[in-house]
Amino acid sequence: MPDLTYTELLYLACGAFLLTGVMVLWRRDLRAVIRLFALQGLALAAVIGVLAAHQGDLELALVGIGVGALRAGLLPYLMARALAAGGEDRETRPLVNVSASLVVAAALAMLAYAISRPLTELAPSPATRAVPVALTVLLVGFFVLVTRRRALSQVVGFLLMDNAITATAFLTTSGVPLVVELGVSLDVLLAILVLYVLTNRIRASFGGTDLDELRELHD
Amino acid sequence: MNLVAVCFVAALCACALAALAALLVPARRRPAVTGVITAVAGALAAVAGVAAIGDGGWQVWLPDLLPLAGVRLALDSLAGVFVAVTGAVTVCAALYGAGYTAGGRDRGQGGDDAGGHGGHALDGRITQAMVPLFVGSLLLVPAADSVSTLLLAWELMAITSLLLVMAEHRQREAVREAAVWYAVMTHLGFVAILCGLLAFVAAAGGDSFEQLRVAAVDPGTRSAVFLATFAGFAAKAGIVPLHVWLPRAHPEAPSHVSALMSAAMVNMGVYGILRVGFDLLGGGPAWWWLVVLTAGVLSALYGILQAVVATDLKRLLGYSTTENIGLVLIGTGAAGFFAAGGSGALAGLALAAALLHMVNHSAFKTVLFLAAGSVLRATGSRDLDALGGLRERMPYTAGLFAVGALCASALPPGNAFVSEWLLLQSLIQSGSGAGLAGAVLMPAAVAGIALSAGLAVATFVKAFGVGFLARPRSADAERAVESPRSMVGGMGLAAGCCVALALAPALILPALAPAVVALTGDFGVSVQDVTLRVDAGLSTVSPTLIAVSLLVAVVAVLGLARAAMARRARRAARLWDCGLGPMSPRMEYTATSFAEPLQRVFDDVLAPESDVDVTPARESAYLVERVSFQTRVPDRIERRLYDPLVAAAAAAGGVARRLANGSVHRYLAYGFCALTGALVVLAVIW
């Protein structure tokens, strides 16, 4: 494909990736959050697909399909099931309110741009210029982890970080080997299964998944 | 593959096999099977070590065993000495352990409450498997040929020994405290070694010892490396003021482990100092070694002073370890000092004396700790004030302890006499050529050795006399029975080594020569028949002849006395008891009362604490109804140096607890703020 189209498509996919990540902060409805996460998985798969098409690499395309299936299909499905079993479908009072969160996200994006400058300078290319996007999503994911109360939001935050790490890996290198990506994906899947069980156990034992109510457990 | 390689690899395999056997064999046979295989491993290691002293030169590089650096092993003559000693100690301790740990399930192991319930007795899987692993790590430390391998083996040694110290944590509260002290001290020491060696590696640009030896490192870094590693190794060797873990952990560990720790593990501290100081750094300025020498003198004196007033048998032995390793360090420091001054013969003599003393100490400390374990097993007590009368009840143990005690007292015909004599010779012969610092410190060291030797005699007369002679002071001591055959066998083997070392040092000392020559270039002692001759002076000593003449003298005196007795008629009479009626065991000399005069002499150093509580009768302040008296001798260094540190750490921890209020979000926020903070700093300064 021509270089200009490649760059346009890549940046479009990265834009979708970033937008879905930030919108997780905006929506309180957990169902919508899961849908956003699935969309982000699709955007990630699209990023990998564009890279694969540009490099003409079949293995990379297969990895992209696998990543899409896991992050836009299986993981959202698991989370939706957990949500259906629980019934708490709103993030009622986040520790930092929505508008402040969005401001923080903007600040984080600036920080990400500032720190990824040296990385981009190492090997300037359309793909590496998109690294700040991935780092922004990483920081936003961490921020979700810190400020959202429901266990499911925490899982989404964790997965946002993981998506961002995967995106950084694909953007900075010319393709992650299939074995590595398989290993990482399996790890994530396993972590989600564990968290899924854990969420159910927390709810069964304490009647809710607000993590701040667990503070009596220390020592 | 030469003999060294075959035996050494076989020993490591046997250790692994023993650990595996401990996990798989049913509990009834576990101690015997594990013990025997571990003993075989020890014997193989001893052979490998002895062979390595002779020809040495075995090296192997396994690049795939560890990521990045791989594992490098090598056995040279210095490593051979330590491997051989470890192997020999292992044979005795493992055979002994087979009997000592068996049957722990129906017997309260040395505790007040009957322990062993719930599968945590000494024959438990983990405890049994740790002993061969510990032995394996002890073999790997001297065999390591790169910094990463050494650190790995060192950490393995720390962890396995820690788990062994904790073996009886369900039975006794004190075990847990001892384990915490040990864990903290050993890991602080590890950190010091880690920092020192990593700085060395960074400066030298290579990880293997080969590269470190030839590296050109500037003197400042060399001194920093030496001091850091010396602190770390000294902590492992139990050197004052880093000794505090030793008199806690050694008594609380199971006795065969105490023997391994005291006779083999603390040697690794000496090994580290020799390896880094002499071999890797290639000597160095004289002041390094004066630091070592001073630490040695202080340890020898402080260790034996605490030992002489101790009433806990195993604690006494632990302090005696500090004393003896102190003596070894005096030799090491003197050797480095002489080598820096260019007198090779004296350096060789001092180092030979140090190594011989280390070997001797390993031999007699094995006997003593194993015998103390037998006493503990038979009576359930380590308190000398509650023992006594064990000579008739445990004749073998008593006899073997007597051999060990004689050897530990540095009197002829014991083995420590030979090494301390050589040590004194090396210091005395230094003469005026040693410069001002030497001229001041050497006589002081001589005085220190002399004082510690004298106090050692008192210590071991007390330990043996109060512990084994006279009449039992408690019901437990009265019920004591002799230990099973495997335990006596293990002790007997170690005592045999002591006797061999004592009678035939002329045969054994030359075996150390390659190791000493490799480090100092000269041996400094020559052997003529049964006589040891000091090259630097005119002194000679022949332990064999001394022993024979002593034997003749004793036989002659006994014979004359017997002849004189036979002429007079025998008459049975009641013992004079001041008219107070029959004498009871309460009137015997106890360990406390035996040491009291010495405690009084060293009052200012020891600072004993006593507490007198007088309850007067109701009518008059002058008529006393009851007096209770308590006295204890705390470890003053611990009291002054460590207690404030521990209190400060606890206070800081209490403050820091406020940071951790249990909220998951708060913990996550700490991480988030730290990350973004670090990134902002990066973004600003880059």
Side-chain angles (χ1 to χ4, degrees):
Chain A
M1 94 179 73
D3 270 355
L4 194 63
T5 329
Y6 156 68
T7 314
E8 295 285 318
L9 282 177
L10 184 66
Y11 288 170
L12 182 64
C14 284
F17 186 72
L18 178 62
L19 191 64
T20 44
V22 175
M23 278 172 73
V24 168
L25 283 176
W26 174 49
R27 297 303 301 262
R28 288 192 180 185
D29 182 3
L30 291 181
R31 277 174 226 291
V33 167
I34 293 171
R35 273 200 299 279
L36 280 171
F37 173 73
L39 282 176
Q40 192 183 40
L42 278 181
L44 179 60
V47 170
I48 301 171
V50 171
L51 286 170
H54 180 63
Q55 294 168 13
D57 188 344
L58 184 66
E59 193 183 306
L60 197 56
L62 285 178
V63 170
I65 293 171
V67 165
L70 178 72
R71 286 160 206 258
L74 188 56
L75 295 180
Y77 167 71
L78 281 175
M79 286 190 286
R81 254 184 57 174
L83 192 64
E88 295 167 324
D89 53 359
R90 279 189 74 79
E91 179 69 51
T92 40
R93 353 169 240 124
L95 294 174
V96 177
N97 67 31
V98 169
S99 28
S101 297
L102 289 174
V103 173
V104 170
L108 292 177
M110 290 203 305
L111 179 62
Y113 271 94
I115 55 166
S116 55
R117 212 160 26 90
L119 282 179
T120 316
E121 279 165 10
L122 284 178
S125 76
T128 51
R129 277 189 207 105
V131 165
V133 169
L135 290 182
T136 310
V137 174
L138 178 86
L139 293 174
V140 166
F142 205 163
F143 188 67
V144 170
L145 213 51
V146 174
T147 56
R148 296 305 189 252
R149 287 171 184 268
R150 298 276 166 230
L152 200 84
S153 312
Q154 302 266 313
V155 174
V156 170
F158 169 74
L159 286 173
L160 282 186
M161 289 176 73
D162 189 69
N163 274 351
I165 291 166
T166 313
T168 314
F170 281 105
L171 289 173
T172 47
T173 62
S174 57
V176 179
L178 188 61
V179 182
V180 175
E181 184 49 40
L182 265 184
V184 173
S185 298
L186 214 61
D187 273 357
V188 173
L189 185 61
L190 215 65
I192 294 310
L193 288 176
V194 170
L195 288 173
Y196 174 59
V197 174
L198 205 62
T199 313
N200 281 337
R201 292 295 294 267
I202 290 175
R203 187 179 302 123
S205 308
F206 306 107
T209 59
D210 187 336
L211 290 181
D212 270 353
E213 283 166 17
L214 303 184
R215 77 169 60 186
E216 292 305 318
L217 294 180
H218 85 121
D219 288 345
Chain B
M1 293 282 267
N2 52 5
L3 176 69
V4 180
V6 171
C7 286
F8 189 72
V9 173
L12 289 181
C13 291
C15 286
L17 184 68
L20 202 65
L23 296 178
L24 298 179
V25 174
R28 205 161 49 82
R29 296 179 176 257
R30 195 179 295 146
V33 173
T34 316
V36 168
I37 303 178
T38 312
V40 170
L44 285 167
V47 173
V50 171
I53 303 173
D55 55 358
W58 174 66
Q59 270 192 327
V60 61
W61 184 34
L62 308 163
D64 300 326
L65 208 57
L66 269 185
L68 300 180
V71 169
R72 275 176 202 275
L73 296 178
L75 278 180
D76 57 2
S77 46
L78 178 65
V81 173
F82 288 84
V83 168
V85 169
T86 305
V89 174
T90 303
V91 174
C92 307
L95 284 180
Y96 176 93
Y100 183 72
T101 57
R105 270 155 216 282
D106 31 65
R107 167 174 54 81
Q109 231 302 313
D112 306 314
D113 48 346
H117 301 301
H120 286 279
L122 289 177
D123 60 351
R125 276 199 187 85
I126 301 296
T127 308
Q128 289 279 322
M130 276 309 141
V131 176
L133 289 182
F134 179 40
V135 171
S137 67
L138 285 173
L139 297 177
L140 281 174
V141 167
D145 196 33
S146 70
V147 167
S148 48
T149 315
L150 177 72
L151 292 175
L152 186 79
W154 193 267
E155 184 62 9
L156 189 65
M157 176 172 86
I159 291 174
T160 46
S161 56
L162 175 62
L163 287 175
L164 284 169
V165 168
M166 294 201 311
E168 291 177 284
H169 72 101
R170 283 180 200 247
Q171 281 85 346
R172 297 192 304 273
E173 186 76 26
V175 173
R176 281 166 238 170
E177 204 194 326
V180 170
W181 274 96
Y182 178 49
V184 171
M185 290 305 293
T186 197
H187 277 100
L188 286 180
F190 181 74
V191 168
I193 297 171
L194 185 77
C195 294
L197 288 182
L198 288 188
F200 195 9
V201 167
D207 172 59
S208 77
F209 285 176
E210 203 60 57
Q211 287 163 302
L212 294 182
R213 274 182 203 118
V214 298
V217 180
D218 69 287
T221 315
R222 294 171 84 84
S223 295
V225 168
F226 180 77
L227 289 180
T229 51
F230 175 61
F233 289 128
K236 184 56 88 179
I239 290 302
V240 170
L242 304 170
H243 68 288
V244 280
W245 62 273
L246 198 146
R248 289 167 185 273
H250 285 200
E252 297 303 340
S255 295
H256 60 308
V257 178
S258 310
L260 270 173
M261 287 173 75
S262 187
M265 190 181 78
V266 292
N267 291 351
M268 296 305 154
V270 179
Y271 168 77
I273 295 166
L274 288 176
R275 175 64 79 195
V276 173
F278 275 102
D279 187 17
L280 301 183
L281 291 169
W287 66 265
W288 288 7
W289 301 104
L290 290 180
V291 170
V292 175
L293 184 95
T294 313
V297 174
L298 288 178
S299 299
L301 287 178
Y302 190 78
I304 201 62
L305 266 178
Q306 286 288 340
V308 81
V309 294
T311 55
D312 178 328
L313 182 54
K314 285 177 80 175
R315 198 174 162 85
L316 179 151
L317 295 177
Y319 275 120
S320 154
T321 300
T322 292
E323 180 231 343
N324 283 291
I325 297 298
L327 292 176
V328 174
L329 283 202
I330 293 177
T332 308
F337 179 72
F338 294 140
S343 34
L346 274 177
L349 174 62
L351 191 61
L355 283 182
L356 184 65
H357 191 71
M358 189 198 77
V359 174
N360 286 335
H361 168 248
S362 294
F364 67 68
K365 201 44 74 67
T366 309
V367 182
L368 290 172
F369 260 120
L370 294 183
S374 292
V375 171
L376 174 61
R377 186 182 192 270
T379 63
S381 174
R382 304 188 310 236
D383 186 0
L384 282 171
D385 289 349
L387 297 175
L390 298 175
R391 191 173 60 92
E392 296 96 32
R393 291 165 181 81
M394 309 176 72
Y396 295 116
T397 305
L400 294 170
F401 190 92
V403 171
L406 175 63
C407 286
S409 337
L411 287 181
N415 57 7
F417 163 70
V418 185
S419 43
E420 290 196 25
W421 186 84
L422 286 174
L423 190 56
L424 282 175
Q425 286 300 325
S426 76
L427 298 178
I428 292 170
Q429 304 289 357
S430 70
S432 56
L436 179 64
V440 175
L441 268 174
M442 293 300 159
V446 169
I449 295 174
L451 179 57
S452 73
L455 289 173
V457 175
T459 305
F460 286 99
V461 165
K462 179 184 83 170
F464 181 69
V466 175
F468 290 85
L469 302 183
R471 284 163 58 186
R473 294 180 184 80
S474 67
D476 285 330
E478 202 157 358
R479 284 194 299 269
V481 286
E482 185 55 274
S483 311
R485 229 174 290 159
S486 64
M487 290 170 66
V488 175
M491 284 186 274
L493 212 55
C497 292
C498 284
V499 172
L501 281 166
L503 295 186
L507 293 178
I508 293 159
L509 191 59
L512 296 174
V516 175
V517 172
L519 294 186
T520 60
D522 203 333
F523 190 45
V525 190
S526 47
V527 175
Q528 292 169 339
D529 301 328
V530 291
T531 308
L532 304 177
R533 180 180 294 280
V534 174
D535 291 350
L538 297 171
S539 315
T540 59
V541 67
S542 172
T544 320
L545 292 183
I546 292 177
V548 168
S549 46
L550 264 176
L551 189 70
V552 170
V554 168
V555 168
V557 169
L558 279 181
L560 284 177
R562 184 66 63 89
M565 297 275 279
R567 274 192 224 149
R568 294 190 200 163
R570 278 199 189 185
R571 189 164 63 89
R574 206 179 134 200
L575 197 63
W576 170 244
D577 54 15
C578 306
L580 277 171
M583 304 233 278
S584 75
R586 290 269 298 158
M587 300 170 183
E588 287 172 11
Y589 249 114
T590 61
T592 314
S593 53
F594 186 87
E596 206 273 341
L598 279 170
Q599 184 181 313
R600 216 168 259 272
V601 172
F602 294 102
D603 200 50
D604 289 339
V605 185
L606 292 168
E609 294 171 355
S610 55
D611 190 11
V612 185
D613 189 10
V614 181
T615 315
R618 193 173 302 163
E619 294 81 21
S620 157
Y622 301 103
L623 292 176
V624 174
E625 190 181 328
R626 192 154 46 82
V627 177
S628 75
F629 174 76
Q630 276 187 328
T631 179
R632 57 190 297 273
V633 185
D635 190 325
R636 211 172 173 197
I637 292 180
E638 188 182 318
R639 190 58 66 85
R640 287 284 172 82
L641 189 62
Y642 286 85
D643 283 0
L645 281 178
V646 171
V655 172
R657 270 170 71 102
R658 280 184 227 151
L659 289 173
N661 68 345
S663 159
V664 178
H665 286 102
R666 195 154 171 180
Y667 300 154
L668 283 168
Y670 289 144
F672 183 72
C673 294
L675 176 70
T676 44
L679 289 178
V680 166
V681 170
L682 258 182
V684 169
I685 64 172
W686 210 333

